[in-house]
């Protein structure tokens, strides 16, 4: 077990994880073969973490165990009513071999906000951080060291109570799994094409758009298929007033010719940690940053008039990816190409991989 002190902010003592080693863990040769070309979300490490929660017992039975199938009662509420949330965060290997993650307190807090919206229990942030460290303690060798590679960590929580009545579950499970990752898009950092979803929305006012919950992603799958049918990589959603929201799994950022950076902000959009960090780096460079509504008309007219000089998407999995084309049912708008997105990407990844000074104190060491 990793030794962690009582948390100074919450007074919580660390959990005592039981650790069961995977006797069928991948050999070094097999693991290295996977790490040489990991793709995204295809292979998983040898272990997983889980913590149970019940109304009576609170958070209990923290475990590290061999990665494998979860046994669930067919009546488990998550299978029927979708009471589920998740997070996405990466572990990066630095040149000296150490393993760090990026702003995990923010993911821990966002998991709590998602939990509140989905009527799930809030995992204390110190337990969240400890879960990441416990997994790295056994699976640290799975953090790849190649360019732009990382270990993608996927924390998630779901209603496991076997009960078909519609109410918040009394029994819940928190899990953490991990998957070595290379580029999210097959083409690497090439500009992506975006399909405008006109018939389907991702979220509504007062809905679950700001929560990281499976249902939002389920709702995005049909429009995402429409995007593929129209030869686009991703789909962008509008709100009921035709303001731009976000892509299926990334936030959108617009760069104006006077250097102003604008990103859609509303309670139906996921508050991206990558976006927040990039905007901070842009502010550090003297850019003025605005979070506000951006209508589809503002986007299209801004590009046509030259007021908008760059558009990019960002998120943990995809990092920063320029948007090259916006395609709708009856138009194709080529997007202007600039250099800021890739400069900010470089600056961000230099911090994440320990190649540049971490001025904002964003890194969190996982293997010590
Ligand atoms: N929006 C959606 C719908 C996402 O799934 C993600 C990815 O997590 C983001 C935005 C970007 O969030 P973050 O930068 O915290 O990964
Ligand atoms: C992430 O970037 O972490 C996400 O959850 C997005 C998902 C589409 C992979």
């Amino acid at each position: 077990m990793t030794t962690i002190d009582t948390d100074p902010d919450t007074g919580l003592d660390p959990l005592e994880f039981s650790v069961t080693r995977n006797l069928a863990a991948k050999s070094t040769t097999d693991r290295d073969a996977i790490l040489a070309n990991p793709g995204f979300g295809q292979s998983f490490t040898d272990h997983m973490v889980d913590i149970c929660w019940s109304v009576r017992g609170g958070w209990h039975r923290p475990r590290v165990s061999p990665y494998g199938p979860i046994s669930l009662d067919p009546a488990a509420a998550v299978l029927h009513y979708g009471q589920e949330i998740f997070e996405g965060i990466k572990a990066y290997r630095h040149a000296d071999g150490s393993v760090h993650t990026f702003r995990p307190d923010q993911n821990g807090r966002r998991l709590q906000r998602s939990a509140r919206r989905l009527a799930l229990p809030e995992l204390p942030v110190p337990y969240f951080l400890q879960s990441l460290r416990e997994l790295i303690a056994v699976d640290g060798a799975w953090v790849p060291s190649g360019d732009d590679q990382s270990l993608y960590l996927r924390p998630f929580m779901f209603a496991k109570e076997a009960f078909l009545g519609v109410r918040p579950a009394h029994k819940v499970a928190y899990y953490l799994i991990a998957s070595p990752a290379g580029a999210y898009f097959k083409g690497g950092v090439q500009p992506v094409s975006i399909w405008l979803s006109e018939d389907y929305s991702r979220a509504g006012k007062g809905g679950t758009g700001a929560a990281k919950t499976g249902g939002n992603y389920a709702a995005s799958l049909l429009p995402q298929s429409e995007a593929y049918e129209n030869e686009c990589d991703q789909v962008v959603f509008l709100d009921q007033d035709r303001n731009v929201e976000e892509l299926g799994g990334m936030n959108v950022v617009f760069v104006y010719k006077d250097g102003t950076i604008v990103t859609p902000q509303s309670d139906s959009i996921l508050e991206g940690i990558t976006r927040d960090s990039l905007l901070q780096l842009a502010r550090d460079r003297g850019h003025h940053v605005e979070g506000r509504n951006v209508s589809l008309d503002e986007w299209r007219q801004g590009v046509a008039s030259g007021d908008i000089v760059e558009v990019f998407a960002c998120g943990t999995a995809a990092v920063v990816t320029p948007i090259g084309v916006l395609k709708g049912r009856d138009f194709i708008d080529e997007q202007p190409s600039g250099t800021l997105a890739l400069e900010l990407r470089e600056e961000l990844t230099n911090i994440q991989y320990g190649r540049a000074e971490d001025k904002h104190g964003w890194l969190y060491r996982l293997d010590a």
Side-chain angles (χ1 to χ4, degrees), residues 221-241:
L221 298 178
L222 183 59
Q224 178 64 48
S225 306
E226 205 178 74
Y228 293 144
E229 280 158 26
N230 287 280
E231 288 161 2
C232 288
D233 300 303
Q234 274 281 318
V235 60
V236 64
F237 293 99
L238 301 179
D239 71 11
Q240 66 277 11
D241 301 318

Side-chain angles (χ1 to χ4, degrees), residues 102-117:
F102 186 74
R103 306 186 74 185
D105 51 315
Q106 296 294 319
N107 294 84
R109 292 224 285 272
R110 189 169 65 188
L111 188 70
Q112 291 185 324
R113 293 198 297 277
S114 298
R116 278 201 287 281
R117 181 62 185 85

Side-chain angles (χ1 to χ4, degrees), residues 110 202 212 217 246 248-251 270 272-274 314-316:
R110 189 169 65 188
R202 172 184 177 276
K212 210 159 163 57
Y217 297 80
E246 58 185 321
M250 276 158 268
N251 291 121
L270 190 81
I273 297 158
T274 314
C314 55
T316 298

Side-chain angles (χ1 to χ4, degrees), residues 57 182 291 333-334:
D333 289 353
E334 297 288 338

Side-chain angles (χ1 to χ4, degrees), residues 47-190:
H47 297 88
M48 60 189 188
V49 164
D50 77 312
I51 313 175
C52 295
W53 179 89
S54 65
V55 169
R56 284 196 184 176
W59 293 105
H60 62 278
R61 211 197 59 186
R63 295 188 299 191
V64 176
S65 43
Y67 182 92
I70 298 173
S71 155
L72 268 189
D73 192 293
V78 65
L79 300 176
H80 304 270
Y81 309 128
Q83 197 189 1
E84 185 269 355
I85 56 175
F86 68 98
E87 268 303 322
I89 181 168
K90 284 174 169 173
Y92 307 91
R93 185 165 313 274
H94 287 192
D96 65 0
S98 58
V99 176
H100 302 251
T101 190
F102 186 74
R103 306 186 74 185
D105 51 315
Q106 296 294 319
N107 294 84
R109 292 224 285 272
R110 189 169 65 188
L111 188 70
Q112 291 185 324
R113 293 198 297 277
S114 298
R116 278 201 287 281
R117 181 62 185 85
L118 270 291
L120 284 162
E122 290 177 41
L123 182 73
V125 174
Y127 292 175
F128 175 79
L129 299 177
Q130 195 186 352
S131 72
L132 306 180
R133 294 166 62 115
E134 294 286 343
L135 192 62
I136 293 300
V138 291
D139 279 342
W142 282 90
V143 182
S145 53
D147 282 352
D148 289 331
Q149 292 185 335
S150 59
L151 183 65
Y152 183 76
L153 302 164
R154 173 53 66 88
F156 59 105
M157 192 191 292
F158 58 86
K160 73 167 179 199
E161 183 185 3
F163 177 61
L164 294 183
V166 183
R167 60 141 171 80
H170 291 174
K171 285 187 186 161
V172 167
Y174 165 78
Y175 275 82
L176 169 64
I177 57 173
S179 173
Y184 183 72
F185 290 111
K186 280 204 195 87
V189 213
Q190 296 307 313

